[in-house]
Amino acid sequence: MNAAAAGRRPRRRGIALMEALVAIVLLSMCALAYAALQLRGLSAGQGALWRSKASTLAGEMADRARANRAGLLAGAYANLQAPVAVDCGMVAACSPDRMARLDHAQWSVVLARELPAGRGVVCLDGSPDDGTAAAPACDGAGTMLAVKVFWSERGEPARLVLPLRP
């Protein structure tokens, strides 16, 4: 080898820079995928939270109905769809029918506060797993009450139905 050939450097300029750019692009794509995964997890967690709240609130209404046994057996809970203000307990004596309406009115306030576009009905329904917030589809048939909770989840209507045997 001569001195001129030994002093030459190979013509491989910019390879390390290209490798660094490829590594940065791959890392940024991984970071974006991780962020998307986190957002999806948060969204699923929020939906689970709403479903859990709806389940708890439906159970609360069922417990209210069971506590008012006379009203439950008399059919006072058979068609509670629109909340009605009732002056029960403070000033006037409270009949089982009026207590059922008070239970529904108080429950409706909690539903509206705890769930997005939250609404609920209690009714006799032969096919309880149907209906929407605007039209709950209570047919008055059957022997079981249905506690139906409706809310909006990411712009889509959601429903939870809890059967209640009188």
Side-chain angles (χ1 to χ4, degrees):
M1 280 197 180
N2 62 19
R8 280 194 201 159
R9 297 173 76 189
R11 300 196 76 188
R12 294 174 49 196
R13 293 183 175 175
I15 295 296
L17 182 60
M18 289 298 287
E19 289 173 350
L21 286 174
V22 168
I24 288 173
V25 167
L26 285 175
L27 282 173
S28 63
M29 289 174 61
C30 289
L32 285 173
Y34 180 73
L37 184 64
Q38 289 293 338
L39 287 175
R40 185 169 291 208
L42 285 173
S43 176
Q46 185 67 38
L49 175 69
W50 286 329
R51 183 158 293 280
S52 175
K53 281 185 179 182
S55 177
T56 301
L57 292 170
E60 179 185 320
M61 186 61 193
D63 289 343
R64 286 174 180 250
R66 287 185 195 106
N68 184 5
R69 184 106 177 117
L72 182 63
L73 294 176
Y77 289 89
N79 191 20
L80 295 174
Q81 295 192 25
V84 178
V86 178
D87 61 344
C88 192
M90 296 293 190
V91 178
C94 204
S95 68
D97 183 54
R98 291 174 68 197
M99 188 64 176
R101 288 189 306 233
L102 176 67
D103 285 344
H104 186 256
Q106 290 174 341
W107 180 62
S108 295
V109 169
V110 174
L111 281 175
R113 185 180 65 228
E114 296 290 325
L115 295 172
R119 186 170 181 275
V121 299
V122 181
C123 60
L124 277 174
D125 197 353
S127 59
D129 201 21
D130 59 356
T132 64
C138 294
D139 57 16
T143 59
M144 290 184 50
L145 291 172
V147 179
K148 296 183 179 186
V149 179
F150 304 99
W151 72 96
S152 176
E153 190 171 321
R154 290 186 302 263
E156 295 292 321
R159 173 186 61 236
L160 181 126
V161 178
L162 178 70
L164 173 64
R165 188 172 304 278

